[in-house]
């Protein structure tokens, strides 16, 4: 095969189709335990009111509870995985040899959020969260 823009475009389209098809064969687990929030900026800041009191039996005077404001920012990070194909394999029309690699790359991409989420869970008893306490903590203050 001659290496020219048209042939390279055809290879790209073929690999892209194969990649997208393989991407749908993986059923990642992260959606079962994490909330997916779309982001279109470099970072997302999440703010909320904390320490919402629970109900109690009303005896005597009201007990006014002060709410606290909390927030944390998550910066978006870029990830990539790139494979290269030697020019000789294109010239020798040996592109089909790379189909399994493209499929495995797509499956790796689909599983990547699982790797991130489960690593966070594994460190949840030791790594500090926005409030300087471990994510899994029995401390109420």
């Amino acid at each position: 095969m001659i290496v020219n823009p048209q042939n390279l475009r055809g290879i790209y389209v073929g690999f892209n189709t194969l990649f997208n098809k393989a991407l749908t064969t993986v059923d990642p687990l992260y959606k079962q335990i994490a909330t997916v929030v779309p982001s279109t900026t470099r970072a997302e800041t999440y703010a909320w009111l904390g320490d919402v009191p629970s109900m109690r039996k009303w005896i005597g005077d009201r007990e006014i509870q002060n709410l606290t404001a909390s927030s944390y920012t998550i910066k978006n990070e870029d990830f990539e995985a790139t494979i290269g194909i030697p020019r000789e394999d294109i010239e020798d029309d040996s592109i089909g040899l790379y189909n399994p690699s493209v499929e495995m790359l797509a499956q790796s991409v689909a599983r990547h959020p699982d790797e991130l989420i489960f690593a966070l869970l594994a460190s949840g008893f030791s790594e500090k969260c926005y409030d300087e306490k471990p994510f899994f903590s029995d401390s109420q203050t």
Side-chain angles (χ1 to χ4, degrees):
M1 175 184 297
I2 297 172
V3 178
N4 60 35
Q6 295 81 14
N7 287 339
L8 292 177
R9 176 74 181 149
I11 292 168
Y12 171 80
V13 169
F15 280 159
N16 194 42
T17 301
L18 185 64
F19 180 93
N20 286 325
K21 183 178 177 187
L23 199 59
T24 65
T25 65
V26 176
D27 188 19
L29 301 173
Y30 73 95
K31 294 177 184 177
Q32 296 177 26
I33 61 167
T35 301
V36 177
V37 179
S39 176
T40 58
T41 60
R42 284 188 217 167
E44 294 294 335
T45 299
Y46 299 92
W48 68 94
L49 293 174
D51 301 329
V52 176
S54 59
M55 297 296 292
R56 69 174 190 91
K57 187 173 182 179
W58 190 345
I59 301 173
D61 293 336
R62 290 180 186 259
E63 291 184 13
I64 298 173
Q65 306 292 320
N66 293 322
L67 299 176
T68 59
S70 299
S71 69
Y72 68 96
T73 300
I74 299 175
K75 293 181 181 177
N76 290 320
E77 297 177 326
D78 295 323
F79 297 92
E80 68 89 27
T82 304
I83 57 174
I85 300 172
R87 179 184 188 94
E88 294 80 16
D89 287 344
I90 296 171
E91 291 172 340
D92 294 344
D93 206 9
S94 300
I95 302 303
L97 296 173
Y98 292 91
N99 288 351
S101 296
V102 170
E103 290 172 332
M104 288 187 293
L105 180 62
Q107 292 164 354
S108 174
V109 167
R111 289 187 184 101
H112 184 69
D114 283 353
E115 294 170 11
L116 295 174
I117 292 296
F118 290 113
L120 286 172
L121 284 176
S123 65
F125 290 98
S126 57
E127 292 294 318
K128 303 291 188 229
C129 201
Y130 69 93
D131 58 1
E132 295 302 315
K133 291 182 252 179
F135 184 76
F136 300 117
S137 173
D138 58 6
S139 174
Q140 297 294 320
T141 59

